[in-house]
Amino acid sequence: MSASPPPVPTPQLGSREGWFEALRPFAYLNHAAVSPHSAPLRAAVTRCMDAYASEGIGGFGGTLARRTALRGRLAALLDAGADEVAFVPNTTTGVISVAQSIAWKPGDRVVLFRGEFPANTTPWQQAALQYGLRLEWLDLADFDASNEAGLAALDEALRVGVRLVAVSAVQFKSGLQMPLAEMARRCHERGAELFVDAIQGFGATPISTTMGFDYLAAGGHKWLMGVEGAGLLYVRRERMSQLLPRLAGWLGHEHAFDFLVRGPGHLRYDAAFRRDAEVFEPGTQNVLGYEALGVGIIPAETLGVAAIHAHVNAYLDALERGLLALGFRSLRAPEAARRSTILSVETPAGLDPVRLHGELSARSVVCGLPDGVLRFSPHFYNHVSEVQGVLDATHDALTHLQALPRS
Ligand SMILES: Cc1ncc(COP(=O)(O)O)c(C=O)c1O
């Protein structure tokens, strides 16, 4: 019998202790891109590799049990059932899974948003080519202005008849938290379904199936603090029977493993497909990726997503005030309910954001640069006392760049 693993250190708001002590940057503010690997995550992955190193396939049973438990834990974070959750390698695969499984009729309309991250547009555009769908592009600028303006534009599109609306829970560039509950309600009133790309929210911004969306996909390497290549897809139970198993593989069948473990007579090619979300898991899974995700979600489970959201927003309040004073323009929504855990700012006129981003990085402040804005995205372990240092680094970088001759 193997010894039980050492306990995972308790995550604490505002502290790297036990989790991110190896992290070098003074301020790591890039969870909207990639989460650093925490110490307990590395330990769990190493333990799994050690088990495979010494036992080969004997290590599989443990990983399967942990992955089954993880399915339930992810479902619990979303207020979903475990039968509604599938493991998919990334957000895009989740989008493709649904886009290719709907029983489309030629001419069905799909609403997309200009300004979205393309993970939630390309698969629908491809489905449009294959199944003769009509795409209706709305502009996120309406939602930037106000929820009322955005929802009015959505209402207008839905009036014509729409099969599906695809949107992010949190916008990757502005950090805007979308009004999912209102969008889902409007979609359903008009017979449409709502697909949500949740990668920029799930884990740090409250997101629940009680909001009413029909599908959700999220990679695990940002706010869920896992690694790249291990994410999830949620499919509302009532929608499952309407989907076609067009992308199903050998593991999508009922009792798919029987022929490998139960002796002769179980190898068949006509077994029924699973009727739960696992039908979207066509083949062998990313064992190490899900070991990592199993640890990554512990802060969300123990601290609570709402507490993480509040903690990060207190940090971003201070950072935003300081950046405004330095001449930046904030893209953060003024209303608390429309904020996520992302603060994006436009650089002062005449300053090249790419160079400023490089100067900040050289000063040990790691942030993102999506579509030309500076994006700050801390997590539970960042402490508000960092903010002054971030502002000092920014001031210093601005002074340095403004002193340089214009190129
Ligand atoms: C809104 C959004 N969707 C999707 C992705 C990534 O998609 P995937 O997980 O398929 O790589 C990102 C960022 O990487 C994102 O910001």
Side-chain angles (χ1 to χ4, degrees), residues 32-33 89-93 116-117 119-120 168 170-172 197 199-200 218-219 221-222 375:
N90 45 51
T91 320
T92 304
T93 303
E116 277 273 336
F117 194 92
N120 202 14
S168 287
V170 168
Q171 290 302 327
F172 81 102
D197 168 348
I199 194 171
Q200 289 298 3
H221 60 279
K222 297 182 191 288
R375 182 180 65 186

Side-chain angles (χ1 to χ4, degrees), residues 87-94 218-221 227-232 285-286 290:
F87 293 120
V88 290
N90 45 51
T91 320
T92 304
T93 303
H221 60 279
V227 297
E228 293 104 315
L232 76 146
Q285 290 284 351
N286 173 0
Y290 290 105

Side-chain angles (χ1 to χ4, degrees), residues 149-170:
L151 291 169
L154 178 64
D155 280 339
E156 194 61 26
L158 288 170
R159 261 185 338 114
V160 188
V162 166
R163 181 77 169 80
L164 182 136
V165 174
V167 76
S168 287
V170 168

Side-chain angles (χ1 to χ4, degrees), residues 139-153 176-179 333-335 338:
D139 208 319
L140 280 176
D142 288 324
F143 279 100
D144 289 336
S146 69
N147 278 354
E148 290 66 35
L151 291 169
L176 183 69
Q177 185 184 159
M178 301 297 285
E335 310 90 342
R338 303 210 303 146

Side-chain angles (χ1 to χ4, degrees), residues 48-263:
C48 177
M49 292 179 78
D50 287 348
Y52 271 70
S54 62
E55 311 301 333
I57 196 168
F60 178 71
T63 65
L64 185 60
R66 285 188 290 279
R67 202 159 64 238
T68 301
L70 176 61
R71 193 188 303 278
R73 292 165 60 200
L74 288 165
L77 278 177
L78 275 176
D79 303 314
D83 59 313
E84 297 174 298
V85 172
F87 293 120
V88 290
N90 45 51
T91 320
T92 304
T93 303
V95 185
I96 291 172
S97 300
V98 173
Q100 290 297 328
S101 303
I102 290 178
W104 300 108
K105 291 199 287 300
D108 276 350
R109 300 165 78 95
V110 174
V111 169
L112 304 177
F113 289 89
R114 281 188 206 288
E116 277 273 336
F117 194 92
N120 202 14
T121 58
T122 307
W124 306 111
Q125 291 171 278
Q126 292 304 97
L129 290 177
Q130 289 170 269
Y131 304 107
L133 314 178
R134 288 163 62 184
L135 299 179
E136 180 88 26
W137 289 87
L138 301 185
D139 208 319
L140 280 176
D142 288 324
F143 279 100
D144 289 336
S146 69
N147 278 354
E148 290 66 35
L151 291 169
L154 178 64
D155 280 339
E156 194 61 26
L158 288 170
R159 261 185 338 114
V160 188
V162 166
R163 181 77 169 80
L164 182 136
V165 174
V167 76
S168 287
V170 168
Q171 290 302 327
F172 81 102
K173 178 177 176 182
S174 65
L176 183 69
Q177 185 184 159
M178 301 297 285
L180 294 183
E182 289 91 330
M183 294 180 79
R185 187 169 55 75
R186 284 169 157 79
C187 284
H188 294 161
E189 277 170 8
R190 295 286 184 175
E193 298 175 0
L194 183 64
F195 187 103
V196 175
D197 168 348
I199 194 171
Q200 289 298 3
F202 190 29
T205 293
I207 295 175
S208 161
T209 60
T210 58
M211 294 169 165
F213 47 77
D214 300 280
Y215 315 98
L216 172 149
H221 60 279
K222 297 182 191 288
W223 300 99
L224 291 171
M225 306 190 118
V227 297
E228 293 104 315
L232 76 146
L233 168 67
Y234 157 83
V235 177
R236 184 170 287 280
R237 203 169 291 127
E238 299 86 291
R239 298 295 178 209
M240 276 304 305
S241 59
Q242 300 156 15
L243 298 175
L244 304 173
R246 286 199 184 105
L247 297 182
W250 73 280
L251 281 177
H253 293 283
E254 302 277 9
H255 310 295
F257 271 116
D258 281 8
F259 75 98
L260 294 173
V261 293
R262 299 193 62 186

